[in-house]
Amino acid sequence: MAVPPPKRQPPRPGARRPASEQPEKSSFLSNPLFWVFFAFLGLIAAYLLQQRLAEMNQRPAPVAEKTPVVEKPPVVIETPKVEPPPVVVTPPPVIAPPKPEPIKPPVVVTEELPKFNRFYKTVSTRLVPAHLGDPKAPMKKEIQAAHELRASPHAPLPVASGDGAKRATLRKTVEEYWSKIDPDRCLPHPDAEAFPGKVLEPADRVITTVNIPVNRSRWHSTGTYAAPGERITFRIPASDADMGLVARIGCHNDDITSDFAIKRENWHRFPVITNTVALNKRVIELANPFGGPIYIEMPGNDKNGKSRDLVRIEIVGAVEAPNFTLGKTTRAEWENSRLAPAPWAEMICDKMVVSVPSKHIRELSYAEATELMKTWTETVEACDWLAAWKDRRSAERIVSDAEISIGWMHSGYPIKCYLDSAKDSVNVTKLRKDGNWGFFHELGHNHQSSLWTYAGYTEVTCNLFALYCMEKIAGKKLGDGHGEDMAAMAAEMALDPKAHGASAFHLLAQYYHPVKQFGWISLQQTFAELSDRKDIKKADGMVKKNLGIAGREVEKQQEALDKEKRQLELKIKTAVREKKETDKTAAETRLAEIFKEEKKIKEALGALSKHDSDERKKDIFVRTWSQEAGANLGPYFANFGWPYTDSMKTMLTPLKPWMPANFPPTKPGAKPAKSTLFGSKNEAMAGKDEAQGDNQTTNAQ
């Protein structure tokens, strides 16, 4: 059994504790008050030291005494005087006067910096290698001859208008060249890089699928571009091989070898740089040695639209091109698309497609692109409204080119202009502020109707649309936008219709006062009424309706003969007055020859009397406009030599005759009218040399 330890006894009172249990004696170093006092002394010492150092730094540095400097007097050296040589006054050099500027301004093409496609992201995920012909393979003689035919914006090919033999040789060379193009062996033409331009490399070749609406005829943009010489493959369903579809490479379709380009004596590009192929098989290949935008052409028939709305086409081997479509392209898509590697871009809306070099839209913002195509939509809609078109089956097109067949601009499909005007076609600020007479004028040509366009009025009624667009789009006052004084010209025309009958703007001025008084709506309703009237169509049927360039050229021949007849009639009167029998006989002989020529022209147009047709159409036009305006316009137009027949007077009896204030004047107004036909050269219309494109009456529904 364990024994517990003994309990410790408490010490007795007063007894001394052992040493091990004695408490330790505390020293002053262990006292915390000591250390507080020591720290306080340290702070005081530091403060005093800081004050001492500050006083020492504020003392100025000792200044060293300057020793006086004794200046030496300057040494004067006398030099003998030298007489200046006599001044010989030479006469100023004789500067030759500058050469007059050419009618067509030089084409300036600047190389595009290859910086944009560094940031472009290819949209298509299906890529293919590029396919070019073998440059080492033997070249056919026709290909070799065409490669030796060089013409570019910076090195034009001179071709005299009177050198028919050379033009015929060049035309044959061009025709043989295109007939020998093989998609598998095609090579780029040496001038392709100069125009239409090169693709910015590196660029992916892609497979793209497009869906084309079958109820919209003519060209359809695909957003793709064929690089020069590279093979492009088109794939369609076998069931669509009989639809009449056509693939096209290139939008610059003016043929510079044609007779209409006879006045072009410096060719700034190869004469023909576009080609097409019918998509009549499941797989079709095409190559273009110059490259160009790729289009699908839809025929203008109704049978294709009965079964479905779209046709699907696959395009293989193209590069992606800058492309903006109003209402479809998003902001993010445009920020990428505008940097695409193709050298040509397209801005698209339902009513208009504008094709320009890509450099003009690289920095175009999404807001600017949207406003631009809204403006073009409004412009075409304004023309459609004035012409009383209810609907259209294709958009208008504007294409800028290094060389066009005729004029500064010309109408047709597409409307053509020179490269100098390309930037104006995508400058929405300028379109809204200043308008563009040239583009509006050409749109007017595309809306003209032979029902109210008479002999000598080809360059007149189109300008009604230019005036309206200047007012509607650019906010100009009626008659402004081209620098002409319409009121003064109307007065001059009324005083002497024969003297001003060949002036397009004097003839245009005839419409100024009625439009100002009764508004554009009265003229628009007149056009709408005339399009449904059988009597004016019957009168128009007296002259074969010309639907293209050839027919209008015949009309221009008639206009030239009419002008010559007026001159001969004046010459005969002068010869009779001055008793110059020889001059009288010569003029009468020439008049007889003109009558024979007119007979041939009338036969070509299928008309017995164009004058009778125009007189009848003018009669119906004035009566119709009077009824729409609610006033008798017969006396007003009679001032300009228009017919004011008894039947018109009887029919318009219920209406009050109308005449502008102080019209017709007894003498010309104090403000003379300008005689120039054009405004600024960038907005000039083509004038008498203009080639008319296809009449787009079939576009109206």
Side-chain angles (χ1 to χ4, degrees), residues 218 351 379-396 412-413 442-452 465 523-525 527-529 531-532 545 552 694-701:
R218 294 182 167 177
K351 302 295 194 302
T379 302
V380 178
E381 286 179 346
C383 294
D384 290 353
W385 176 84
L386 185 58
W389 287 10
K390 298 177 183 178
D391 195 7
R392 58 169 47 245
R393 298 192 61 178
S394 64
E396 301 285 346
Y413 187 86
E442 304 306 342
L443 281 172
H445 273 305
N446 284 357
H447 286 78
Q448 275 178 315
S449 171
S450 58
L451 298 179
W452 34 265
F465 296 87
L523 183 60
Q524 188 269 349
Q525 291 173 343
F527 289 159
E529 176 69 19
S531 64
D532 295 329
K545 191 175 183 181
R552 300 203 179 189
D694 293 338
N695 188 309
Q696 293 206 26
T697 304
T698 55
N699 220 344
Q701 299 297 308

Side-chain angles (χ1 to χ4, degrees), residues 11 34 73 119 133 237 292 296 300 324 342 358 383 410 487 513 525-526 593 598 601 633 661 677 699:
F34 169 79
F119 311 102
I296 302 298
F324 177 89
S358 296
C383 294
H410 72 71
H513 287 295
Q525 291 173 343
T526 300
E593 294 174 354
E598 283 183 325
I601 290 175
L633 304 182
L677 184 63
N699 220 344

Side-chain angles (χ1 to χ4, degrees), residues 119-127 203-206 320 336 341:
F119 311 102
Y120 178 70
K121 183 179 180 180
T122 304
V123 176
S124 177
T125 58
R126 297 184 294 170
L127 309 182
D204 293 325
R205 273 59 177 175
V206 301
E320 294 174 344
N336 182 57

Side-chain angles (χ1 to χ4, degrees), residues 124 126 207-211 222 224 311-315:
S124 177
R126 297 184 294 170
I207 301 176
T208 302
T209 300
V210 294
N211 294 296
T222 64
T224 59
V311 58
R312 182 178 180 274
I313 301 173
E314 194 173 68
I315 303 172

Side-chain angles (χ1 to χ4, degrees), residues 204-440:
D204 293 325
R205 273 59 177 175
V206 301
I207 301 176
T208 302
T209 300
V210 294
N211 294 296
I212 306 299
V214 298
N215 62 346
R216 299 276 288 181
S217 58
R218 294 182 167 177
W219 302 2
H220 288 264
S221 303
T222 64
T224 59
Y225 192 91
E230 294 187 12
R231 184 184 65 193
I232 305 297
T233 303
F234 300 89
R235 299 171 182 165
I236 63 172
S239 58
D240 294 335
D242 62 346
M243 287 187 63
L245 300 174
V246 174
R248 166 181 290 276
I249 296 180
C251 58
H252 307 94
N253 62 338
D254 268 13
D255 183 357
I256 312 303
T257 66
S258 68
D259 293 336
F260 303 107
I262 192 67
K263 294 186 178 181
R264 292 292 181 253
E265 297 192 335
N266 287 290
W267 296 358
H268 290 83
R269 66 160 169 83
F270 195 82
V272 177
I273 61 173
T274 65
N275 59 341
T276 61
V277 63
L279 299 180
N280 52 12
K281 294 188 296 184
R282 186 177 178 277
V283 179
I284 292 290
E285 295 176 345
L286 182 65
N288 187 309
F290 295 89
I294 299 174
Y295 304 93
I296 302 298
E297 296 185 22
M298 181 67 67
N301 52 45
D302 295 328
K303 68 175 184 178
N304 293 333
K306 293 181 179 179
S307 59
R308 57 197 167 135
D309 297 329
L310 301 172
V311 58
R312 182 178 180 274
I313 301 173
E314 194 173 68
I315 303 172
V316 182
V319 299
E320 294 174 344
N323 182 285
F324 177 89
T325 302
L326 182 65
K328 295 182 180 180
T329 304
T330 65
R331 182 183 299 273
E333 289 171 342
W334 174 241
E335 293 299 328
N336 182 57
S337 180
R338 66 178 181 171
L339 308 179
W344 281 79
E346 291 200 318
M347 310 298 291
I348 304 171
C349 62
D350 286 342
K351 302 295 194 302
M352 173 66 79
V353 181
V354 182
S355 301
V356 295
S358 296
K359 63 183 179 181
H360 292 306
I361 56 87
R362 294 295 192 195
E363 299 180 2
L364 198 67
S365 69
Y366 180 77
E368 290 172 325
T370 301
E371 184 62 27
L372 172 69
M373 298 321 295
K374 285 183 178 179
T375 300
W376 277 119
T377 298
E378 292 178 24
T379 302
V380 178
E381 286 179 346
C383 294
D384 290 353
W385 176 84
L386 185 58
W389 287 10
K390 298 177 183 178
D391 195 7
R392 58 169 47 245
R393 298 192 61 178
S394 64
E396 301 285 346
R397 282 184 176 269
I398 294 177
V399 172
S400 52
D401 200 339
E403 192 68 84
I404 63 177
S405 59
I406 199 166
W408 172 254
M409 294 183 182
H410 72 71
S411 60
Y413 187 86
I415 292 171
K416 296 293 177 56
C417 64
Y418 279 101
L419 292 175
D420 287 359
S421 297
K423 59 183 180 298
D424 293 336
S425 66
V426 292
N427 188 337
V428 64
T429 302
K430 188 174 182 180
L431 279 174
R432 284 293 188 184
K433 180 182 178 182
D434 303 325
N436 191 298
W437 187 273
F439 291 136
F440 298 164

Side-chain angles (χ1 to χ4, degrees), residues 376 408-409 424 430-431 434-445 459-471 474 476-484 486 504-505 508 520 677-680 682-687:
W376 277 119
W408 172 254
M409 294 183 182
D424 293 336
K430 188 174 182 180
L431 279 174
D434 303 325
N436 191 298
W437 187 273
F439 291 136
F440 298 164
H441 170 93
E442 304 306 342
L443 281 172
H445 273 305
E459 300 299 330
V460 178
T461 55
C462 62
N463 282 333
L464 291 170
F465 296 87
L467 285 176
Y468 181 62
C469 287
M470 279 292 181
E471 184 177 339
K476 304 288 185 182
K477 294 182 180 179
L478 176 64
D480 290 350
H482 200 275
E484 310 294 343
M486 291 286 104
F505 279 93
L508 177 65
W520 287 105
L677 184 63
F678 302 140
S680 64
N682 281 341
E683 297 180 354
M685 62 183 183

